[in-house]
Amino acid sequence: MREVESAIEGILFASGEPVKVDRICVALDLDRPTVEQVLQKLMDYYAYERRGVRLVRMEDCWQMCSAPDYADVIRKAFEIRKPARLSQPALEVLTIIAYYQPTTRAYVDQIRGVDSAYTIGLLLERKLIEECGRLQVPGRPHLYRTTRNFLRAFHLDSLDDLPEMPDLGGEGQMRINENGEIVDPADGAEITGADTPETAGPPAEETGEQELP
């Protein structure tokens, strides 16, 4: 079993990218339950011993990465700038795509009431979402879904771990408050339909978004 653990460590370290469980099973000629048991044991060991590396599970893939506790030291060693926090418009768009994926930009715009093209472009650049085909309707708009980077960034094993979202129904527009929580229009918050400093962070002029007519 120790040799199996070492072999799995070597595979994950050499990859540097998420590795599917089935690929590890084929490489080691082992059944899936055994491989998953070893992966879970290694993940628990790294976390319990507070090692500098961690094993992260993302749906049916696993990846070796640095421990969050040492993020500042690692950034300093490699002169890496800390990534900018997501703005409220970006969180809104990401939330809609996460819960309704695959979905189109038009659907995101319909829920938010503003043109989300600029924000979707930013999320694509940060690899939190990706294109996943086209909707088979006139115009064939792009479909978007979240990525493994999204799961890793929000410490989720899979999309099943997303918290239950309030039923927004057909009334009002989605908004995220200053704590990153979804605002339910049924709670009585007045929604005007445009990103403003009072409702969703920077004005539309600063975010590149425009209010829809």
Side-chain angles (χ1 to χ4, degrees), residues 113-141:
V114 294
D115 186 337
S116 305
Y118 178 80
T119 304
I120 285 179
L122 290 179
L123 294 174
L124 286 169
E125 288 180 5
R126 297 187 66 168
K127 301 187 185 303
L128 293 173
I129 63 172
E130 63 184 2
E131 295 179 359
C132 59
R134 292 177 179 270
L135 190 63
Q136 299 304 312
V137 298
R140 301 188 65 218

Side-chain angles (χ1 to χ4, degrees), residues 16-73:
E17 298 290 337
V19 180
K20 288 184 176 294
V21 175
D22 292 340
R23 181 177 292 272
I24 299 175
C25 293
V26 171
L28 299 181
D29 193 22
L30 293 172
D31 59 274
R32 188 183 181 102
T34 299
V35 171
E36 289 183 335
Q37 180 181 1
V38 174
L39 285 165
Q40 184 66 48
K41 180 181 178 182
L42 286 171
M43 183 173 70
D44 295 341
Y45 167 76
Y46 290 137
Y48 180 78
E49 295 291 338
R50 295 182 59 81
R51 307 297 298 179
V53 294
R54 295 284 190 274
L55 278 189
V56 179
R57 176 174 175 263
M58 294 167 286
E59 295 182 328
D60 64 338
C61 296
W62 291 74
Q63 182 175 12
M64 183 175 287
C65 62
S66 58
D69 299 348
Y70 306 108
D72 291 339
V73 175

